[in-house]
Amino acid sequence: MSKKIEEITLDFTGVKTLWELHERIRIAFDFPEWYGKNWDAFWDLLSEPFEETMVTVRGIQMLPRELQPCGKKVLELLEENKKWQAHWEWNPVEFNYTALSQPECASKGVS
């Protein structure tokens, strides 16, 4: 019997502000309304052990220039969480992600 993999799409297409970027994160990951919309809050909720997950990130290269470092931060935290989730000795979890360069492009793995 295969495990069910939760698929999350994090789409940054059209994002213009940091608040909107974090709101897209909150919605995609189904974080609670009280999500703090900062990197510490993202890590705290992201790093909780959860089910097998595949995250597809779209539109990250279309972020405005001033938000490009935030896009890189999202990818860094997803990569860190990939390692973090696998380390649980009692219950390692498969967490992975893919960043698409444009919404219509074929997937390109990020490591």
Side-chain angles (χ1 to χ4, degrees):
M1 182 176 198
S2 64
K3 294 182 180 180
K4 181 182 179 211
I5 297 175
E6 180 179 3
E7 295 184 22
I8 295 172
T9 299
L10 179 55
D11 191 350
F12 292 128
T13 305
V15 167
K16 303 280 188 243
T17 66
L18 182 58
W19 183 92
E20 190 176 3
L21 181 136
H22 276 286
E23 185 65 6
R24 297 276 182 101
I25 289 170
R26 185 189 69 76
I27 292 167
F29 285 91
D30 197 29
F31 290 162
E33 288 286 331
W34 50 262
Y35 165 62
K37 293 184 173 65
N38 61 63
W39 301 122
D40 288 336
F42 180 46
W43 176 254
D44 287 347
L45 292 171
L46 182 68
S47 63
E48 288 294 317
F50 52 97
E51 298 181 16
E52 310 289 316
T53 304
M54 178 64 188
V55 179
T56 301
V57 183
R58 297 179 180 273
I60 204 158
Q61 293 181 344
M62 298 184 325
L63 287 169
R65 179 175 290 144
E66 63 272 13
L67 293 179
Q68 288 294 318
C70 298
K72 289 179 184 176
K73 184 69 172 179
V74 167
L75 295 178
E76 288 171 9
L77 291 171
L78 291 174
E79 180 64 26
E80 186 65 26
N81 192 54
K82 179 179 175 179
K83 296 171 188 169
W84 178 253
Q85 295 294 333
H87 100 282
W88 295 106
E89 291 178 17
W90 55 271
N91 188 21
V93 174
E94 176 76 24
F95 178 92
N96 212 341
Y97 67 97
T98 299
L100 303 181
S101 59
Q102 294 182 19
E104 67 279 0
C105 291
S107 74
K108 179 180 178 183
V110 175
S111 57

